[in-house]
Amino acid sequence: QVQLVESGGGLVQAGGSLKLSCAASGRTFSSYVMGWFRQAPGKEREFVAAISWSGGSTAYANSVKGRFTISGDNAKNTVYLQMNSLKPEDTAVYYCAADYALSGNYYYTEAYEYPYWGQGTQVTVSS
């Protein structure tokens, strides 16, 4: 079992920045492949970004590419999402997702591929 605890959401004006964190805990000496998803009111959950356990492979949704950066700290089992140049359309509940990694060089971009999810953190961008 993996527990995920997210933090860092809040209210920000358009053009501003926020940094989300997600700390994973579970089996000792575990490695994780992790991702961020978001869900706006009345919309389906969508992929935002993902990172391999090694950190050497990342992926982004086209809507956030160039504005968001995903990174990880393996020593802390924590993944971050730095969000810059935020837009009102980025408003959503952001979810961290994880799975145990069998190697260091892959990631998932589909929600169904992640068995473990955080509780979500609200990000609101005002215009």
Side-chain angles (χ1 to χ4, degrees):
Q1 192 74 7
V2 178
Q3 291 78 44
L4 301 174
V5 179
E6 299 135 333
S7 60
L11 173 64
V12 64
Q13 288 188 331
S17 298
L18 282 175
K19 186 174 184 177
L20 306 182
S21 300
C22 174
S25 61
R27 298 191 303 235
T28 306
F29 304 120
S30 294
S31 55
Y32 306 97
V33 56
M34 301 183 77
W36 288 97
F37 291 75
R38 66 186 182 186
Q39 188 166 18
K43 294 187 177 181
E44 293 187 354
R45 189 170 300 190
E46 64 174 1
F47 169 74
V48 175
I51 188 167
S52 63
W53 174 73
S54 68
S57 297
T58 58
Y60 298 92
N62 287 334
S63 59
V64 306
K65 200 171 293 184
R67 300 187 297 122
F68 291 10
T69 302
I70 189 170
S71 62
D73 183 336
N74 288 342
K76 297 181 179 179
N77 280 338
T78 298
V79 66
Y80 306 97
L81 185 68
Q82 177 67 48
M83 305 184 295
N84 299 329
S85 301
L86 283 161
K87 304 175 181 180
E89 51 263 44
D90 294 318
T91 296
V93 177
Y94 283 70
Y95 296 91
C96 174
D99 191 17
Y100 290 110
L102 302 179
S103 68
N105 300 315
Y106 68 92
Y107 52 75
Y108 300 136
T109 61
E110 299 290 340
Y112 72 85
E113 296 177 297
Y114 291 95
Y116 306 108
W117 291 81
Q119 79 286 355
T121 185
Q122 177 70 46
V123 171
T124 302
V125 184
S126 63
S127 57

